[in-house]
Amino acid sequence: MKLAVVGGGSTYTPELIDGFARLRDTLPIEELVLVDPAADRLELVGGLARRIFAKQGHPGTITTTADLEAGVAGADAVLLQLRVGGQAARNQDETWPLECGCVGQETTGAGGLAKALRTVPVVLDIAERVRRVAPQAWIIDFTNPVGIVTRALLQAGHKAVGLCNVAIGFQRKFAALLDVAPEQVHLDHVGLNHLTWERAVRLGGPQGEDVLPKLIAEHGAAIAADLHMPREIVDRLGVVPSYYLRYYYAHDEVVRELRTSESRASQVATMEKQLLEMYGDPALDEKPELLAKRGGAFYSEAAVALASSLLRNTGDVQVVNTYNNGTLPFLADDAVIEVPAVVDGTGTTPLPVPPLDPLYAGLIANVTAYEDLALEAALRGGRDAGREGGRNAVFKALLSHPLIGQYEYAEALTDKLVAHNREHLAWA
């Protein structure tokens, strides 16, 4: 079995390598290729990756290359974990929206749109090149914004599944609180990528006892603290929202906080510098503790499980980003949702979802409409209509977003988005 990781020079990668090594019985990799144009980073990450495999006795080989076609040729699966523009672009996404009083975040709101516009064309180019040299390969997308990127891949006819670590993070957290094995915890996880709620926590299987009321009653304070939300909000909702919902439920509070604190991108950039220095130590043969603060907890376990189900036809149930296909009846079939699905060699089949409360369905529908317009802007905004067409497509997407929604803000944010991303927008 051959896997390729595009963006293999990421400081995330040792987390992924550690999972591949520990879970080699689940996903028996013979060849792993790390692909990245950043030669210096790739050399450091690749060296540590080989040492991790060696320490844990993994028999697979790890190679590195800047040549995409050579790296993915013949691969069974290709994982995408890239960041167009790096942490510098992320820092801009997190700061210029604040100038208009809107939240600055890399996957949500105006910053999320900027990331989508930079990322979708690059990912589609990569996917087309993968299709030429590895037409059988599954593409597993961990690149944000996952929902929009996955939809772009699926609409272009690629064998793609989107992956996020939010659901597995909740599963592991709840399992620890309940003192049970993670495999015993099944989530009624529903929504869009970075816009989800846990409506039930079932023990033993998808039809098992719902222990979410018990979890909230006994551990509500700890759960709310992790979400940075008041305990009473979790109690009143009776569900556990993703921590990304704080950008919607406490928008103005978050903006005030972000205006007076160091950006997350700046914090991560400092961590990345430290991590790369560590990776260069030839004595280091395991992922360092600092990596846990970088983000992406349990990413490796989720990636291994998904790749194994796709390549070994296991039929496991996993939370993925995939086509709606009638699962949520108020959305179009080609909307991409994040729900539990049966995963096998043919792809993903979402499990039935009980009807949603309007409180959640309304926001899902609104953000899906924004994602429609965001993808339109990323794919056709500038190519078909030139600079003004591209700019207008951006404006419409921003105006539709529930975190923006006023034409004065949308106009100002359009100017800022274009100014900060001109080098990534062919039409600008």
Side-chain angles (χ1 to χ4, degrees), residues 32-180:
L32 177 64
V33 184
L34 306 181
V35 183
D36 203 298
D40 292 347
R41 292 171 64 106
L42 188 59
E43 180 181 357
L44 294 173
V45 173
L48 175 57
R50 294 186 191 97
R51 296 192 296 273
I52 291 173
F53 262 31
K55 180 180 182 179
Q56 299 196 31
H58 195 296
T61 62
I62 298 178
T63 59
T64 60
T65 182
D67 186 330
L68 178 70
E69 280 81 0
V72 304
D76 298 289
V78 177
L79 279 67
L80 304 182
Q81 54 167 36
L82 53 132
R83 183 183 296 280
V84 180
Q87 293 299 331
R90 177 182 180 176
N91 188 64
Q92 292 179 349
D93 294 344
E94 293 176 344
T95 51
W96 54 261
L98 296 173
E99 298 170 12
C100 297
C102 295
V103 71
Q105 209 276 330
E106 65 162 338
T107 63
T108 300
L113 177 60
K115 186 173 177 64
L117 296 179
R118 293 193 304 269
T119 305
V120 166
V122 174
V123 166
L124 288 179
D125 176 67
I126 290 170
E128 287 298 332
R129 294 158 70 184
V130 170
R131 180 151 52 188
R132 288 197 294 269
V133 298
Q136 75 289 344
W138 281 100
I139 295 177
I140 297 174
D141 177 58
F142 195 67
T143 296
N144 281 320
V146 167
I148 295 173
V149 172
T150 301
R151 188 171 180 182
L153 287 165
L154 290 172
Q155 288 186 350
H158 297 290
K159 295 172 58 178
V161 183
L163 179 65
C164 182
N165 68 325
V166 167
I168 193 172
F170 275 127
Q171 181 204 41
R172 300 305 173 88
K173 190 184 305 290
F174 295 154
L177 292 173
L178 295 164
D179 194 25
V180 299

Side-chain angles (χ1 to χ4, degrees), residues 261-272:
S261 62
E262 182 183 21
S263 72
R264 176 62 179 166
S266 178
Q267 296 171 12
V268 170
T270 299
M271 277 185 242
E272 286 197 332

Side-chain angles (χ1 to χ4, degrees), residues 321-339:
N321 284 261
T322 189
Y323 269 154
N324 178 48
N325 282 336
T327 307
L328 301 182
F330 55 90
L331 297 183
D333 284 348
D334 67 349
V336 165
I337 60 175
E338 186 172 291
V339 292

